[in-house]
Amino acid sequence: MPSSSSSAVLRTWDSSSRGKRDHILSEFIQTCSSLNAAQMEEALDHSASLFLARISSSLRMTYGLGKPVVLHIRAIHVFLSAESGQRFLTEFVEVGGVPALLGVFLTRKPSVTDKLAAIKLLSLIARAGRHYKEVICESNGLESLHELMTSMAYEDLVRDSSELLASLCRSNPRYAAQAHLTLLSLLASDLPTTQRYAAASLRSLLPQPS
């Protein structure tokens, strides 16, 4: 990512077409994936938060138009997974990032690749702790995961969704019972893949022998 002035970076994004923005996102992912938060700020000339906000806003608009959003989600993943990047996670959640991700994988137009990237980013958010698990559940995440797993049979998508549900059963006292009931209800699905992964997630929640 070129280290020009922050205003130039943002102006370039603001004035770019969708195709050019995809190029900017690809370059960002390639250049910044291994950077910590401080290094990312330096690479973006101290405009990281503003750039993240731009990407988050574009994500919501782009998936609503039925256009591919996997690069948006992978770029946000770079921000949220950066070492010492807790504030990026907070910023993304505060601007409605979780409902946007849930919207991606419940919309018919985005591809399986888009939806799988959304699930992986939601899983990263859930691993950040109880508060973020509650945000997912409060955004109708349990219902959304149930709908996804009973309507699609793509194995990677079902597996990752089931593992996210299991994660929401742990260290999440406010919603753990509901998450557990969601997994139990999936055992009655007509899709064998969904049944299998729901059963595996339920087994993973059983107490381990000492």
Side-chain angles (χ1 to χ4, degrees):
M1 198 75 182
S3 183
S4 53
S5 71
S6 61
S7 59
V9 171
L10 299 176
R11 280 202 309 271
T12 299
W13 175 268
D14 292 343
S15 63
S16 293
S17 64
R18 183 167 56 86
K20 176 61 176 175
R21 287 183 177 183
D22 284 349
H23 176 76
I24 293 170
L25 291 171
S26 294
E27 185 181 2
F28 169 75
I29 294 165
Q30 182 177 2
T31 304
C32 295
S33 291
S34 62
L35 302 184
N36 61 34
Q39 292 168 331
M40 198 177 298
E41 281 285 7
E42 186 69 23
L44 294 168
D45 208 14
H46 307 287
S47 63
S49 291
L50 292 173
F51 189 47
L52 174 59
R54 294 292 204 285
I55 299 171
S56 302
S57 176
S58 180
L59 167 66
R60 290 190 294 272
M61 292 187 293
T62 304
Y63 90 77
L65 295 172
K67 304 299 183 181
V69 291
V70 65
L71 289 175
H72 289 75
I73 298 171
R74 288 175 179 169
I76 294 168
H77 200 289
V78 170
F79 275 105
L80 272 54
S81 61
E83 184 180 350
S84 304
Q86 175 67 29
R87 69 180 178 84
F88 296 138
L89 172 59
T90 301
E91 291 166 0
F92 179 68
V93 170
E94 287 181 348
V95 298
V98 168
L101 292 173
L102 292 169
V104 168
F105 72 71
L106 286 181
T107 302
R108 292 186 180 276
K109 290 182 180 179
S111 68
V112 172
T113 302
D114 291 332
K115 295 178 182 183
L116 186 57
I119 289 290
K120 289 183 181 299
L121 186 51
L122 283 165
S123 297
L124 175 68
I125 292 170
R127 289 196 295 272
R130 174 179 171 178
H131 168 69
Y132 296 101
K133 292 179 180 182
E134 290 180 351
V135 170
I136 293 171
C137 295
E138 289 164 0
S139 303
N140 296 318
L142 299 177
E143 296 85 348
S144 299
L145 286 164
H146 183 278
E147 182 175 341
L148 178 67
M149 292 183 65
T150 54
S151 62
M152 301 193 73
Y154 293 95
E155 184 157 356
D156 289 351
L157 193 59
V158 173
R159 180 199 62 222
D160 287 2
S161 299
S162 182
E163 290 175 355
L164 175 54
L165 275 173
S167 172
L168 296 174
C169 291
R170 303 185 183 98
S171 303
N172 185 21
R174 189 174 175 186
Y175 292 102
Q178 290 175 244
H180 195 270
L181 286 172
T182 301
L183 278 170
L184 285 171
S185 71
L186 290 167
L187 296 177
S189 170
D190 293 332
L191 300 175
T193 303
T194 295
Q195 293 177 0
R196 178 160 51 90
Y197 280 107
S201 288
L202 286 165
R203 285 194 299 271
S204 75
L205 297 171
L206 295 173
Q208 297 300 311
S210 55

